[in-house]
Structures are given as structure tokens and as C-alpha cells.
Amino acid sequence: MAPQVTSLAQLAEENSLHQKFIRDEDERPKVAYDQFSDDIPVISLAGIGESGSQRAEICRKIVAACEEWGIFQVVDHGVDSKLIDDMTRLAREFFALPAEEKLRFDMSGGKKGGFIVSSHLQGEAVQDWREIVTYFAYPVKARDYSRWPDKPAGWRVVTEAYSEQLMGLGCKLLEVLSEAMGLEKDALSQACLEMDQKVVVNFYPQCPQPNLTLGLKRHTDPGTITLLLQDQVGGLQATRDGGKTWITVLPVEGAFVVNLGDHGHYMSNGRFKNADHQAVVNSNSSRLSIATFQNPAPNAIVYPLKLREGEKAVMEEVITYMEMYKRKMSRDLELARLKKLAKEKRLQEEELQEKNKLKSCKGLEELLA
Ligand code: OGA
Ligand code: NI
């Protein structure tokens, strides 16, 4: 096996991209990282706490975006802007630490939480151009502080406060979606049992050949709802047609990009989309994003909460979130395996064709000699 890459910083300095990051043509970026689209609505949450027409209008916009894309952005969301600044600053400082400092929290051996470079599925041929640091923040009893960075100074205090405020925002948004489904406000939160929260801080270094690779390959998030804080560089892309066409989400200062995951999709019986997305990189600057995943507890039930008139359930059976996640993983692994096989076969065929071509050239030469 090729040695584990322990830092992308060093590869970022090279003139060409290392083979293991080069994607097949069909997976490569189709739209530039900074060719922004305003298709994803930016919604102000000011007044969402009050009852009346203002709240109704905000809810209407959120629901429309969930039906159309499964993505929207929120501003006036109530998360402290100083906290957002601190969180972003500390995250940048963490990735700027020397590799050996970051590797004190190495999770490549299967540890729960910590630091890893270009995490990729087992069996996958190509790796993502990113470094991450991740920690599990909720339920509180599941916190393992030995897996949380202890540098830069202040990390723990700031990340704890950030997690708490984002839990609040996530739950507020789930209330809106519950109501839109004709249910009690707390229906989705209740269905999650004890809500889990996992934070993934993504760092995408500058990349020598960004058109050949991805920072994070195309996927849907597995959980209920994700709150993504991104810097002003750009790189988050979404598709609604299975990857044929893409848009790049416009970075909005201080906003969170909210996207629904598979759990949210199933609970709404498919009414709300699970956002199909990826991250692209660029050669001009590095990019930072912080994804906060609000997920159900592992033993929570995954099944539509309500069927609308004339609807059939999008799921055949009632399963737990853990089971849903396992099935998603094994589907992804199987797809990766088939993709790898197909690629190997294609390469073999190309080689054979090349040989045959040479042979027939030789035959011709002999004939003409
Ligand atoms: C993720 C994700 C996108 C980004 O972490 O799941 O989709 O722009 N991130 O970093
Ligand atoms: Ni994602």
C-alpha cells in the first residue's frame, strides 16, 4: 500500500497533482469554484420567533427551498458573530500547525474524532483534496475530550460554545420543517430521540491542478440537517439532476448554508430533497468550511412521519438510523468497488488495443519492406 499522506501542505507546493487525487473525467468539476449562482435562496430569520405573518413568510421560503434543492442559506440566525469569527480563526490556526502537532490527534487508525488527511472510503481509488478535524459534541455524555485538539489555545471553550449555539439553530429549523409537515413543532427533534451533533472542520489547501480533482466528492449528508459555515472563497457546489449540471453556492458573509440530509429526506417522505453536493478546490487560495451535522441517535427510527393524501411511503420498511447509515456505506463501498473494477478493465482494454495497433503496424511494415 502507498504510504499514508500526512500533510497536504507539502503536495500543494508541487507543480502537478499527485496521481492518487486525479479523478475520472465524469467526476471532475464542471463549473468553476468562483462562478457563483444565486439559485440558492438567502433567507433572513429575523422575526422567526414571533408568531404571525412574518414567521409564516419565513417558513414558506424555507419549505420552498427544501422542496426545490434541499439547500438554503440563513442570515440573522442569532448565532453570535464574534463566536463565528473566533471559531474560524482557531480553525485556520489549527490547520497551520506543523503536521506533527496535528498528527497527535491522528484518527487514521479508526479512532473516533481527531485529524485526518484526505479521508476516503476504504477501497476507493481516488482521494479527496482536504484535511479535516472532527469531534462529536452531542450528546454531551459522548464527548471524548481526549480526541479534541488542545491547540490552539481556547479551542475547547470556543468549540463548545459554537456547538451549543448551532444545536439551537438546528432545532429551530427542524421546528419549521415539522410544522410544514402538519406536525407538532417538536416532531422531528423527538423522532431523533437524543440529537447527535458532529462537527467537521474542512481545510482545502491550494491545489496545483484543481480541474482534475475534488476537495470533497459528490455525496448527500446522511443525517437530518447540516449547517455549513464557509469562508468567502467559494467551492461548495450542488446538483439537482444527478450530477449533469452544477451550481456553485455564492458565499455570503456570516451566513450558514443549510442542507438536508438523507434522514430529513426520508422523514418527509421525499418531499424535502437531500442535497446532492460536493466541494471543488482552486489554485489561488486555500478554503475553510465548518460543517455541523445534526443527526438522529443511532437507534432512532427512520420512516416517514406522515404520508400526505395519495402518497406511498418512499421506504419499504422501518429501520434504525444506524441501519440506514450502514446500508448507505455499503452501497457507497460497492459503487466504489465497481468503479475501480471498470477502470481497471478499461485500462487493460486500452493496453490491448495499443498492442494490437503496434502489431498491425509491424505487419504493414513487413509487407511494404
Ligand atoms: C461536508 C460538505 C462542503 C464544503 O462536509 O459534508 O459537504 O463546502 N462540505 O466544505
Ligand atoms: Ni456534505
Side-chain angles (χ1 to χ4, degrees), residues 66-70 174 177 181 188 192 220-226 259-276 294 296 302-308 311-315 321 324 328 331:
C66 289
E67 290 179 339
E68 223 173 299
W69 282 97
L174 290 189
L177 298 183
M181 288 162 65
L188 275 167
C192 290
T220 59
D221 296 342
T224 318
I225 196 168
T226 305
N259 69 262
L260 291 193
D262 301 337
H263 179 251
H265 175 75
Y266 289 133
M267 297 312 265
S268 70
N269 201 37
R271 176 179 167 196
F272 303 142
K273 295 250 172 75
N274 43 349
D276 197 350
Q294 300 283 133
V302 186
Y303 199 76
L305 280 176
K306 192 174 169 181
L307 297 182
R308 293 199 286 180
E311 267 183 356
K312 216 175 135 262
V314 290
M315 297 181 69
Y321 180 64
M324 188 214 93
K328 181 183 179 74
R331 236 182 357 252

Side-chain angles (χ1 to χ4, degrees), residues 162 198-202 221 226-229 289-293:
Y162 184 82
K198 173 183 164 174
V199 179
V200 177
V201 187
N202 297 297
D221 296 342
T226 305
L227 306 167
L228 185 90
L229 180 69
S289 75
I290 305 174
T292 304
F293 300 97

